[in-house]
């Protein structure tokens, strides 16, 4: 087995000083370099996941975002590997420079893309450029690290590749788990990427420079240490200013002043508040940038959603989604409702609906009603296990602009809902805008019919949303009557029998029936949504 002394006898390239002895024995030196491989691989995967997650939050359509990031980065890694071939003549300096550049670019990538989205409206072009640059630098690491390992101890190619990729893949595993379970919850997108960039700089530059310091000219060594210090200073300074930047960038995305902003493991929750000259406040809730309600006219939306479904039997009511409690408020107006179960994925949304003063005031503190019960679960998975039957089911889910939410508008999902309906029960689904997204609206209606329910589509005007649609359905085979309960509770501000009579009439330009049903295997609704809302 060769040791560190053997390397001093090797002939160095003309542009490098003679190779001095390493600071550690060969076995320990190899372990240290492999540890650097492990750490750099973890950092590289975090950069990839951060770009995918940021696109999902800002743009939606997580499948498209993941495809763009991963395909561009994998291609760029190949380009980077080829570009690194001439750098193998001076691998120590080249690797240190590559790691410094990767730490700086990767660490700042999320912040730069957030700025491109908020101020420049150039998110997708910027994403491609950043993903390519980060991928090329990651690709350049492997051939340079292989050269460094061979400098420590000559080894046949197969064994060297096995050692290198073992460390690389294990590092990728750790990075992939650290991002969603540690970095994102504790530090958020921007600070998490900056922190990983700093780790990348220390692992990639400091370890190599310390181990091979006697094989680098003094001037080059000083320059590399200075460069690493500059990288860490930039990342550290940006970390200190990250919160201020995020507040400024987020405010650009919203018309009204932001009163609250939280990022949960499931979504970004933003509440804005504006007070008009008349003194009337306008409180708005946004989930991942999509408006959920405005306090000025939310009663129009929720009265139209809930009360047609409550015209039948209504002893036991199920609400899927609607974590703000506004649909629950309408359900609990009926004194003959014995129980109302609300299934919401994000427990933070329930907490805000209970404790945030303005939202709790809007929902009439509905969660404090003894008839109300909340379940924090994914509605699709929960329905697969439920055995109870419900007289009325209200589906108040976010718009299906990506695959994760589109499954809640699928034939399979509505089949589960049908199974949970009691005989003669009613289901209603918020179905988007038949004006801005007519194909999406009629796709939802057709999907419900494909699940074996008889449907009645209808729409009303909600000024904050525009023309907004719903689908009322029953499992009986006969379309339900669009009507209000005979014992309609008082206090309704918008809905009456005349409004409902006109709600079933759609203009000729809105009758887009040439659509296909949405299923888990073929999420066509995502295509319709993305195509129609991009021009809205």
């Amino acid at each position: 087995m060769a040791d560190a002394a053997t390397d001093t006898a090797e002939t160095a390239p003309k542009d490098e000083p003679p190779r001095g002895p390493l600071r550690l024995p060969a076995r320990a030196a190899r372990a240290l370099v492999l540890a650097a491989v492990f750490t750099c691989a973890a950092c590289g995967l975090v950069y990839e996941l951060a770009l995918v997650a940021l696109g999902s939050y800002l743009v939606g359509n997580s499948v498209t975002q993941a495809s763009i990031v991963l395909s561009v980065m994998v291609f760029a890694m190949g380009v980077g590997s080829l570009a690194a071939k001439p750098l193998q003549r001076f691998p120590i300096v080249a690797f240190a420079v590559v790691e410094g550049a990767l730490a700086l670019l990767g660490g700042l990538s999320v912040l730069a893309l957030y700025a491109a989205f908020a101020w420049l409206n150039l998110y997708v072009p910027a994403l491609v450029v950043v993903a390519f640059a980060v991928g090329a630098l990651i690709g350049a690491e492997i051939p340079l690290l292989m050269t460094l390992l061979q400098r420590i101890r000559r080894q046949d190619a197969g064994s060297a590749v096995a050692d290198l990729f073992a460390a690389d893949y294990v590092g990728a595993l750790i990075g992939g788990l650290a991002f969603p379970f540690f970095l994102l919850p504790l530090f958020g997108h921007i600070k998490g990427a900056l922190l990983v960039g700093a780790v990348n700089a220390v692992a990639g530059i400091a370890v190599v420079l310390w181990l091979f310091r006697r094989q680098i000219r003094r001037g080059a060594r000083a320059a590399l240490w200075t460069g690493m210090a500059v990288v860490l200073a930039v990342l550290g300074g940006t970390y200190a200013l990250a919160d201020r930047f995020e507040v400024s960038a987020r405010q650009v995305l919203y018309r009204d002043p932001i009163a609250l902003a939280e990022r949960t493991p499931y979504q970004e929750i933003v509440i804005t508040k504006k007070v008009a000259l008349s003194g009337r406040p306008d409180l708005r809730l946004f989930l991942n940038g999509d408006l959920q309600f405005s306090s000025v006219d939310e009663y129009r939306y929720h009265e139209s959603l809930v009360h047609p479904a409550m015209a039948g039997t209504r002893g036991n009511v199920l609400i899927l989604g609607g974590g703000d409690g506004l649909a629950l408020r309408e359900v609990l107006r009926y004194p003959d409702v014995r129980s109302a179960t609300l299934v919401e994925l994000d427990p933070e949304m329930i907490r805000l609906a209970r404790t945030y003063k303005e939202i709790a005031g809007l929902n009439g503190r509905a969660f404090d009603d003894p008839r109300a019960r909340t379940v924090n679960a994914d509605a699709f998975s929960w329905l697969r296990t439920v055995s109870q039957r419900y007289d009325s089911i209200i589906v108040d889910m976010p718009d299906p602009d990506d695959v994760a939410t589109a499954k809640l508008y699928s034939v399979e999902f509505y089949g589960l809902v049908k199974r949970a309906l009691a005989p003669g029960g009613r289901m209603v689904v918020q179905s988007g805008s038949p004006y801005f997204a007519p194909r999406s609206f009629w796709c939802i209606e057709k999907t419900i019919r494909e699940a074996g329910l008889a449907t009645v589509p209808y729409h009303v005007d909600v000024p904050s949303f525009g023309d907004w649609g719903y689908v009322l359905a029953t499992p009986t085979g006969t379309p339900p009557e669009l009507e209000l309960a005979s014992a309609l509770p008082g206090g309704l501000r918008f809905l009456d029998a005349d409004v409902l009579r006109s709600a079933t009439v759609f203009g000729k330009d809105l009758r887009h029936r040439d659509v296909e049903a949405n299923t888990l295997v073929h999420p066509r609704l995502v295509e319709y949504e993305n195509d129609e809302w991009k021009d809205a």
Side-chain angles (χ1 to χ4, degrees):
M1 179 182 295
D3 56 18
T6 304
D7 295 297
T8 63
E10 295 179 6
T11 303
K14 292 182 180 179
D15 53 355
E16 286 197 1
R19 298 179 187 174
L22 298 173
R23 297 177 66 93
L24 293 173
R27 186 182 297 274
R30 284 178 58 81
L32 190 60
V33 172
L34 290 174
V37 174
F38 169 90
T39 306
C40 293
C43 294
L45 194 64
V46 168
Y47 299 144
E48 293 183 35
L49 295 175
L51 297 184
V52 171
L54 181 67
S56 300
Y57 277 132
L58 297 181
V59 182
N61 198 353
S62 56
V63 172
T64 300
Q65 296 303 310
S67 299
I68 292 174
V69 171
L70 297 179
S71 58
V72 170
M73 290 190 76
V74 170
F75 168 73
M77 288 168 65
V79 174
S81 295
L82 289 175
K85 289 175 69 174
L87 302 180
Q88 291 174 296
R89 296 170 55 204
F90 36 92
I92 303 169
V93 172
F95 181 74
V97 171
V98 165
E99 290 307 299
L102 180 58
L104 192 62
L105 181 61
L108 296 174
S109 60
V110 173
L111 183 144
L113 288 173
Y114 205 157
F117 180 82
W119 282 288
L120 303 177
N121 198 26
L122 292 173
Y123 180 78
V124 174
L127 174 65
V128 172
V129 171
V130 170
F132 183 88
V134 172
L137 291 170
I138 292 174
E141 290 175 324
I142 298 299
L144 296 175
L145 284 165
M146 180 68 72
T147 305
L148 293 178
L149 283 174
Q150 293 290 55
R151 276 199 171 191
I152 296 171
R153 187 186 70 199
R154 289 294 177 186
Q155 191 177 11
D156 67 90
S159 297
V161 168
D163 291 342
L164 186 67
F165 279 95
D168 185 80
Y169 293 151
V170 175
L173 170 67
I174 300 303
L177 295 176
F179 177 73
F181 296 113
F182 175 70
L183 291 168
L184 196 57
L186 294 183
F187 299 98
H189 260 106
I190 295 177
K191 285 187 172 181
L194 292 167
L195 184 63
V196 170
V199 172
N200 200 164
V202 172
I205 302 176
V207 169
V208 174
L209 285 183
W210 178 80
L211 183 63
F212 294 97
R213 67 185 305 273
R214 292 179 181 141
Q215 299 184 17
I216 309 173
R217 290 189 177 91
R218 181 174 299 177
R221 188 165 66 240
L224 291 173
W225 282 113
T226 301
M228 188 187 76
V230 170
V231 169
L232 292 175
V234 170
L235 294 174
T238 307
Y239 187 96
L241 299 173
D243 289 336
R244 191 179 306 173
F245 167 86
E246 189 168 5
V247 169
S248 301
R250 185 185 287 117
Q251 185 60 72
V252 172
L253 303 177
Y254 296 93
R255 183 189 69 183
D256 300 332
I258 293 175
L260 179 143
E262 292 186 10
R263 180 162 287 154
T264 76
Y266 306 100
Q267 60 197 344
E268 183 180 64
I269 302 173
V270 172
I271 297 173
T272 66
K273 185 177 182 180
K274 180 185 72 171
V275 178
L277 294 177
S278 64
R280 182 177 65 171
D282 183 1
L283 188 80
R284 296 185 172 220
L285 171 68
F286 297 83
L287 300 180
N288 290 341
D290 293 331
L291 177 64
Q292 303 303 303
F293 71 76
S294 164
S295 61
V296 172
D297 56 19
E298 58 79 16
Y299 64 91
R300 284 182 166 234
Y301 171 93
H302 290 100
E303 288 180 9
S304 302
L305 172 71
V306 171
H307 293 288
M310 302 293 284
T313 54
R314 51 183 176 267
N316 295 313
V317 180
L318 174 64
I319 304 173
L320 302 174
D324 50 39
L326 300 177
L328 180 63
R329 174 197 67 199
E330 297 299 320
V331 167
L332 295 176
R333 288 179 183 272
Y334 294 86
D336 54 345
V337 169
R338 296 190 301 275
S339 69
T341 302
L342 187 146
V343 180
E344 165 64 41
L345 177 63
D346 193 346
E348 183 62 17
M349 190 65 249
I350 298 292
R351 188 191 70 80
L352 285 174
R354 287 178 177 273
T355 62
Y356 194 81
K357 181 179 177 181
E358 286 85 350
I359 297 181
L362 278 176
N363 65 40
R365 300 197 174 276
F367 291 100
D368 295 336
D369 191 298
R371 295 173 293 170
R373 170 178 172 251
T374 59
V375 178
N376 290 125
D378 172 74
F380 193 101
S381 301
W382 184 82
L383 281 171
R384 296 180 65 184
T385 62
V386 70
S387 57
Q388 184 176 348
R389 297 292 186 93
Y390 296 89
D391 301 306
S392 299
I393 298 181
I394 297 159
V395 184
D396 188 17
M397 295 294 184
D399 292 341
D401 56 4
D402 61 21
V403 174
T405 49
K407 77 174 185 178
L408 303 173
Y409 292 80
S410 64
V411 172
E412 294 85 351
F413 178 76
Y414 295 130
L416 294 173
V417 175
K418 179 184 177 183
R419 191 177 68 182
L421 273 171
R426 290 181 165 215
M427 173 188 77
V428 68
V429 179
Q430 87 80 12
S431 306
S433 172
Y435 178 78
F436 292 110
R439 296 175 72 200
S440 301
F441 175 82
W442 292 109
C443 172
I444 294 172
E445 190 270 341
K446 183 173 183 177
T447 301
I448 296 172
R449 283 193 285 112
E450 289 284 326
L453 294 106
T455 63
V456 173
Y458 63 102
H459 63 132
V460 298
D461 179 58
V462 182
S464 296
F465 293 151
D467 186 26
W468 209 256
Y470 311 85
V471 177
L472 181 68
T474 63
T476 59
T478 303
E481 290 290 331
L482 188 61
E483 58 186 355
L484 296 174
S486 56
L488 186 69
L492 270 63
R493 300 165 60 187
F494 170 67
L495 199 64
D496 60 17
D498 291 335
V499 171
L500 280 184
R501 273 193 292 272
S502 64
T504 58
V505 179
F506 291 83
K508 290 174 62 177
D509 59 338
L510 302 184
R511 302 170 194 168
H512 289 249
R513 305 278 185 162
D514 55 333
V515 293
E516 298 182 73
N518 184 62
T519 67
L520 293 180
V521 177
H522 297 289
R524 298 179 178 91
L525 185 54
V526 177
E527 301 172 17
Y528 296 146
E529 282 273 323
N530 292 334
D531 182 60
E532 293 177 316
W533 281 107
K534 68 182 180 183
D535 297 324

